[in-house]
Amino acid sequence: MRTKAILCAIVAFAACFAAFGAGKDTVINYYTDGSDNVRVVWEAVIDAFNKKNTGVVVKLQFLASGAGGQTGTDKLIAAIKAKQKSVDIDLLELEENKITRILTEGAPNGLAKLDWKKIPNIASVSGRSLVAPDQAMPYRGSAVFIAYNSAKVPTPPATSKDLYAWIKANPGRFAYNDPATGGAGGAFVQTAIYNFLPAEAMRSVDEKWVAQWDQGFNLLKEIHPFLYKASGKVQYTVKNQGSLDLLASGSIDMCPAWADQVLDQKAKGLLPASIRLAQIDPPLTGSLYMLGVPSLSKNKEAAYKFLNFVASAEAQDIFVRVMKAIPVIDPAKLPADTVSMLSGLKANYRTMTIGNLGSKQMYPRWTREISTLP
Amino acid sequence: MGRIEEAKRKQKVYGLLMVLPSFLVICLMVLYPIVRSIQTSFMDPKTQAFSLINYQQLFTEPYMVANIRFTLTVVLFTVLIVAAVSYLLALYITFSDSWFARTIGKLYLIPRFIPTIVAVYAMMNVVKDTGALNRLVNELFHIDFKPGLMFTPRGLVLTNCWFNIPFSTMLIGAGLQGIPRSIIESARDVGAGRLRVFASMIFPLSAKDFLIATTFVFMGNVSSFTTPYLMGARAPMMLGVALQQEFSSFFNMERAAAISVFLFLLSSLMGGFYIYNNLKASKWDVQDD
């Protein structure tokens, strides 16, 4: 009883304080988590938004990954399960997995249907959530592309078939990392296998698809002898960085790589300026990061104002410059020097949700069958 | 009960109480995980029922057998080369009075103080095909020299030597220091040659330290991770890397446990050898009793 009273007092005090401090502004809480670069970029975006005096002030609730705390998603699910009438989360960072969790573990209407009329900038945003297209707004992408040395390869392969043909025509000039050690090699292996399967397989955790992997594994066997060689043997690199190191030293001309990793290292001078990014068709995989508004939020209108800003060219420019993220709007709308920073990057990638089929079946099989090839 | 006995009993209790914290920590942090690992290693990954499948796969799957063979080969060569080099180095540092020996005696431990990851990256940047050696030879002789050490067992053994020679030199050197110079001098006085002194005095007196150093090098390398992870090929790989891969990439805890139990057995075999050698009284030690 007493703790409850104290808690009430604190809440009341905090509410008064917030009301006095922000004048008439509506304060909304935005929950996100991740690596520190996520915090840095959001601080920059929120700062730019708050300076506009739109009557809405955004407060960042950031939880560093690995801190073991309760993420916004967990908190929202808990609030829904406890049948709360409202929640202090007005905006939440999402990706397909989190959306699935909120809609299944929480409630199908756990995320509000976004009122697109109040977010006019959505018109220029390409891509939607596959799980809940009307309940989340994409704001940045992160994906694997083909990184290549434009000084050696003037025109990069345009399709996956071209890429495999290029690998065979240029022995020793392509490398991909052990898929178990990093997502760049993972995307290369997964797409090489799933390009032979029906499109629905990429979004299925059903074990029945495992039986259809042979064709893809045969392809990986076929290109094996043409990959990067060192000390007389074909070598798979360790971690995403392994192939990039080879690309930087000129030992190879091409490898799959995370876009943000390449762009960040180019900006720091760790990769030569001649390294560019290209996507093949069908594209390699990545993930789309989105924002959503909980149905329990009392500040939906205010949240829409911020969402509209996030989809604007101004905010997208910040995501690209600070985080080297893939913008969700047409890069042509961004300033020219930001576009050049993107090195040919376009938001073109597939998402793949095969659960732990990758880590528990595909990668162990790769280790047994591909890495052991002479 | 007499007062003396009472005091003795109290002393015993205090002694036990003082040992208790570290004993509990060992139980909790060492014994318990070992027991759990052994238990997990006998579980079927799918059904969690008792099964020998993890061990069966460990010793029959061709790529795992290749990993085991590879690990033992790398460790064997590491131990042989480290033992030979560090014994000679320890002899030199201990028995030579030249300024060069004294300088080496001061410098040889430095590699011990360089963090593993830094040293491995440094080594990679020197020996890789586009590394410092390659560029140096290219600059001086215009030859595209490729050391061919990255991703090879040779490269791993080389890096292992870099880490282990200082440590085992220190161990053996400490043993050599303990040999009284007076007995060597008296042997020389009665006409024993250098080889004779070495074969019948210095070597028998330092053999135990030599074996101890060898044991430690074996145990330290059989489960090594950083060096083979960064420098080694993806197949065959050393067991430490395979263990990490099963554990954190494939989430196959049962199989990871089986590998760790196997590594534990290999190490305890050497550990047993070490204890046996320590307990065995040397004929030179008789005077101490």
Side-chain angles (χ1 to χ4, degrees), chain A residues 10-32:
Chain A
I10 290 174
V11 169
F13 179 73
C16 290
F17 195 77
F20 282 124
K24 281 179 199 161
D25 288 346
T26 315
V27 179
I28 60 170
N29 280 315
Y30 166 50
Y31 275 74
T32 187

Side-chain angles (χ1 to χ4, degrees), chain A residues 6-270:
Chain A
I6 292 173
L7 263 173
C8 280
I10 290 174
V11 169
F13 179 73
C16 290
F17 195 77
F20 282 124
K24 281 179 199 161
D25 288 346
T26 315
V27 179
I28 60 170
N29 280 315
Y30 166 50
Y31 275 74
T32 187
D33 54 273
S35 308
D36 200 53
N37 62 342
V38 174
R39 179 186 62 80
V40 171
V41 79
W42 277 112
E43 278 176 359
V45 171
I46 289 171
D47 201 37
F49 176 75
N50 287 348
K51 275 191 188 134
K52 288 186 178 304
N53 291 317
T54 53
V56 176
V57 170
V58 179
K59 272 180 83 179
L60 179 66
Q61 308 289 351
F62 176 78
L63 191 82
S65 60
Q70 197 191 32
T71 63
T73 310
D74 294 319
K75 193 173 165 172
L76 177 60
I77 292 172
I80 295 171
K81 279 187 175 162
K83 304 215 185 323
Q84 298 281 316
K85 292 271 182 290
S86 72
V87 67
D88 72 343
I89 307 170
D90 301 306
L91 208 56
L92 186 63
E93 182 182 63
L94 301 162
E95 32 81 31
E96 304 287 16
N97 261 328
K98 287 183 179 171
I99 297 178
T100 313
R101 279 192 58 207
I102 294 170
L103 301 188
T104 53
E105 291 174 38
N109 62 352
L111 291 167
K113 258 206 162 121
L114 298 175
D115 191 349
W116 296 124
K117 273 183 248 126
K118 300 200 169 109
I119 313 171
N121 282 338
I122 188 71
S124 50
V125 173
S126 60
R128 292 287 183 272
S129 159
L130 298 160
V131 183
D134 291 326
Q135 291 162 294
M137 186 192 87
Y139 79 92
R140 73 174 164 99
S142 172
V144 176
F145 284 70
I146 295 293
Y148 67 100
N149 184 351
S150 60
K152 299 270 188 67
V153 190
T155 37
T159 65
S160 60
K161 286 212 172 66
D162 289 350
L163 173 64
Y164 305 137
W166 187 93
I167 293 170
K168 287 184 195 166
N170 299 276
R173 305 307 296 171
F174 185 88
Y176 69 90
N177 64 286
D178 178 341
T181 66
F188 181 83
V189 169
Q190 291 193 353
T191 52
I193 293 167
Y194 274 71
N195 284 347
F196 289 110
L197 271 65
E200 57 178 305
M202 289 190 80
R203 267 177 284 295
S204 162
V205 295
D206 198 327
E207 295 222 2
K208 70 176 176 185
W209 301 110
V210 175
Q212 297 187 34
W213 285 356
D214 292 354
Q215 216 176 343
F217 270 100
N218 286 337
L219 170 70
L220 293 172
K221 271 176 207 159
E222 209 179 297
I223 61 169
H224 172 88
F226 303 99
L227 298 175
Y228 168 72
K229 276 196 179 114
S231 311
K233 253 191 89 192
V234 166
Q235 304 293 349
Y236 292 94
T237 52
V238 180
K239 302 190 81 76
N240 301 319
Q241 189 59 37
S243 313
L244 286 179
D245 287 344
L246 293 177
L247 194 63
S249 65
S251 304
I252 54 168
D253 299 327
M254 216 185 272
C255 66
W258 287 99
D260 55 344
Q261 213 170 352
V262 170
L263 298 179
D264 197 40
Q265 293 182 19
K266 263 186 84 171
K268 287 180 179 146
L270 296 169

